[in-house]
Amino acid sequence: MAVDRRKAALFGAAIAIRLLLFTAFPSLPDLLTGRVEISTPITSFKRLQEGVFLYTHNVSPYDGGVYHQAPLLLPLFALFPKPGTSPFATSLLYILVDLLSAHALMQIAESDESRSTRFFTSPRKDVKWDSIAIGAAYLFNPFTIATCIGRPTSVFTNCTIIYSISRAVSGKGLSSLFAIAFASYLSMYPILLFPPIALIFYDRAARQMKSPPNVTGFILSNVVFLFMAIGTLLYMSYLITGRSWEFVASTYGVQLLLPDLTPNVGLWWYFFIEMFDSFREFFLAVFWLHLGSYVGGLSFRIRRQPLFVITSLLGIFAIFKPYPSISDTSLYFALLPLYRHVFPLMRYTFFAVSTLLYATLLGPAFYYLWIYAGSGNANFFYAITLVWSLGLSVILADSIFAVLRDEWEVERPEMKGKDVRRI
């Protein structure tokens, strides 16, 4: 089999940069692991180490209220040497996951799903970046590199989400479903991506067959398989944890009920710090309802482009999920370049990028002033996270506008190039 030299050079450069950072700056991984922008209570590598230590000493990792991650990660990381004394093996694992994510992302780019679907073909489909450029944008994104060096477990969720999408655009429905089931098992929220992913491989199946599959049978079979896969993973976790279901409350209950209000780049933690206990359950329901409400609306309105629905949902999750980090932002930015053809239709790119750069630079400074210097308070850091969320929201809304404008110009070709005004 011929070796793609450009791809090999890309992967070699990505490996070299990561190995250089791991080896030349040995204190950098531990520094980034402690950053709230990278690690959250449900993805922290330090908490994973604590869980592995308890697991290898035959103590339930969920007893202390520190470990909130999936049980299947425990036997995996128990196989590796202790990162404190031999970090190389763990570093290689995270580098490999980044490369697998990039490979799957490049397969998505090569499928042309972002420009031509069953119901829609963009008139700008020839304006694109090739798969190497898409992979490079992901592998050399500073957020992706910082996430790899910081070693949160969110990289496994990101990898399985991208892999699920790549299988869906290839028409491999079962492997796509299992991947999204595994991602949901790790982080819960990816199950919201099931409807647009199902739309992708339904459209693929309809293209390959003379007549589309029966909708009811298709939905039932895929829902049953999805929950069987999740049930199998949960049962394996039950066996690993000594035939105990306590991991369910410690892993998924923490995400649903938000008992750990450690600061992060999201919007929930400060809001619930200030919340009266009598209103807590109500607003938890409102926040979760808000997060889930986008799935149906986007899947219906942008039905002709389900891959963009997934991209937009990932952007929404990066803003509104309970424990977001820059890992979620890097995943959103990994898929956004697939829509290079609608970039000229976006109106506020400079403002949004400037806002994100502003928040990226000042976020660590404001956190330092609050936690270490003592010359600020929680409002300092929460204010800059609001600016961060504003920048992401502008990019998200602007990209949705651009895609809808692209569709509208197909329906109304005489309006191409003309300004749209609200009346």
Side-chain angles (χ1 to χ4, degrees), residues 107-167:
Q107 288 181 327
I108 299 171
E110 291 167 357
S111 72
D112 288 334
E113 182 71 23
S114 59
R115 296 180 299 278
S116 180
T117 66
R118 178 186 172 201
F119 295 112
F120 177 76
T121 298
S122 173
R124 300 173 174 83
K125 63 179 181 179
D126 295 328
V127 180
K128 62 179 181 179
W129 285 329
D130 66 3
S131 61
I132 298 297
I134 299 293
Y138 173 74
L139 288 172
F140 298 123
N141 184 339
F143 294 152
T144 306
I145 295 174
T147 300
C148 178
I149 305 301
R151 300 165 297 177
T153 53
S154 55
V155 299
F156 301 106
T157 304
N158 292 354
C159 182
T160 49
I161 289 174
I162 296 176
Y163 179 79
S164 175
I165 300 170
S166 72
R167 294 290 86 196

Side-chain angles (χ1 to χ4, degrees), residues 272-290:
F272 284 96
I273 283 177
E274 302 295 329
M275 177 62 59
F276 290 111
D277 289 342
S278 57
F279 297 106
R280 182 179 174 86
E281 289 78 10
F282 172 76
F283 278 100
L284 275 172
V286 169
F287 273 49
W288 273 111
L289 182 63
H290 170 255

Side-chain angles (χ1 to χ4, degrees), residues 19 29 41 90 97 112 126 136 139 163 178 193 236 254 278 281 283 297 350 387 420:
L19 284 178
T90 306
V97 171
D112 288 334
D126 295 328
L139 288 172
Y163 179 79
F178 184 79
L193 299 174
M236 291 171 62
V254 165
S278 57
E281 289 78 10
F283 278 100
F350 176 77
V387 175
V420 177

Side-chain angles (χ1 to χ4, degrees), residues 332-389:
Y332 174 55
F333 286 165
L335 293 175
L336 198 58
L338 296 172
Y339 291 88
R340 166 67 182 85
H341 57 284
V342 299
F343 282 5
L345 299 176
M346 296 175 67
R347 301 164 296 173
Y348 307 113
T349 306
F350 176 77
F351 171 76
V353 172
S354 299
T355 303
L356 288 178
L357 288 175
Y358 176 84
T360 301
L361 295 174
L362 286 186
F366 281 19
Y367 186 78
Y368 176 83
L369 290 174
W370 171 31
I371 298 297
Y372 299 104
S375 56
N377 55 35
N379 294 328
F380 275 58
F381 185 66
Y382 189 62
I384 203 65
T385 61
L386 290 177
V387 175
W388 170 263
S389 299

Side-chain angles (χ1 to χ4, degrees), residues 60-353:
S60 173
Y62 299 101
D63 281 346
V66 174
Y67 183 69
H68 303 302
Q69 300 172 51
L72 290 181
L73 294 173
L74 297 170
L76 170 64
F77 280 89
L79 299 174
F80 289 87
K82 293 182 179 180
T85 55
S86 303
F88 188 71
T90 306
S91 303
L92 284 181
L93 172 64
Y94 277 85
I95 293 173
L96 177 61
V97 171
D98 264 7
L99 297 182
L100 291 175
S101 299
H103 175 69
L105 186 63
M106 292 164 71
Q107 288 181 327
I108 299 171
E110 291 167 357
S111 72
D112 288 334
E113 182 71 23
S114 59
R115 296 180 299 278
S116 180
T117 66
R118 178 186 172 201
F119 295 112
F120 177 76
T121 298
S122 173
R124 300 173 174 83
K125 63 179 181 179
D126 295 328
V127 180
K128 62 179 181 179
W129 285 329
D130 66 3
S131 61
I132 298 297
I134 299 293
Y138 173 74
L139 288 172
F140 298 123
N141 184 339
F143 294 152
T144 306
I145 295 174
T147 300
C148 178
I149 305 301
R151 300 165 297 177
T153 53
S154 55
V155 299
F156 301 106
T157 304
N158 292 354
C159 182
T160 49
I161 289 174
I162 296 176
Y163 179 79
S164 175
I165 300 170
S166 72
R167 294 290 86 196
V169 299
S170 301
K172 310 294 184 182
L174 292 182
S175 57
S176 174
L177 280 176
F178 184 79
I180 204 63
F182 192 74
S184 304
Y185 164 79
L186 290 176
S187 298
M188 196 174 72
Y189 78 90
I191 198 170
L192 296 175
L193 299 174
F194 168 69
I197 286 178
L199 287 176
I200 290 178
F201 55 78
Y202 178 83
D203 289 347
R204 288 282 171 170
R207 280 181 172 182
Q208 296 170 1
M209 299 178 181
K210 293 182 179 179
S211 60
N214 179 268
V215 175
T216 303
F218 180 85
I219 294 174
L220 287 177
S221 61
N222 284 285
V223 169
V224 168
F225 182 85
L226 176 70
F227 283 98
M228 283 181 60
I230 294 176
T232 301
L233 292 169
L234 291 175
Y235 185 71
M236 291 171 62
S237 302
Y238 166 76
L239 298 178
I240 286 173
T241 54
R243 296 182 177 274
S244 170
W245 292 106
E246 65 177 340
F247 74 89
V248 174
S250 297
T251 304
Y252 309 111
V254 165
Q255 299 183 52
L256 286 171
L257 303 177
L258 209 76
D260 192 323
L261 296 175
T262 302
N264 53 67
V265 297
L267 305 174
W268 292 43
W269 64 274
Y270 187 82
F271 189 88
F272 284 96
I273 283 177
E274 302 295 329
M275 177 62 59
F276 290 111
D277 289 342
S278 57
F279 297 106
R280 182 179 174 86
E281 289 78 10
F282 172 76
F283 278 100
L284 275 172
V286 169
F287 273 49
W288 273 111
L289 182 63
H290 170 255
L291 183 64
S293 64
Y294 290 98
V295 178
L298 287 173
S299 299
F300 178 79
R301 178 61 185 85
I302 319 180
R303 163 66 182 92
R304 294 188 289 179
Q305 301 189 66
L307 179 58
F308 185 74
V309 175
I310 296 172
T311 304
S312 299
L313 287 175
L314 290 174
I316 290 168
F317 296 156
I319 302 169
F320 295 118
K321 63 182 282 196
Y323 295 106
S325 68
I326 63 171
S327 173
D328 302 293
T329 306
S330 70
L331 178 58
Y332 174 55
F333 286 165
L335 293 175
L336 198 58
L338 296 172
Y339 291 88
R340 166 67 182 85
H341 57 284
V342 299
F343 282 5
L345 299 176
M346 296 175 67
R347 301 164 296 173
Y348 307 113
T349 306
F350 176 77
F351 171 76
V353 172

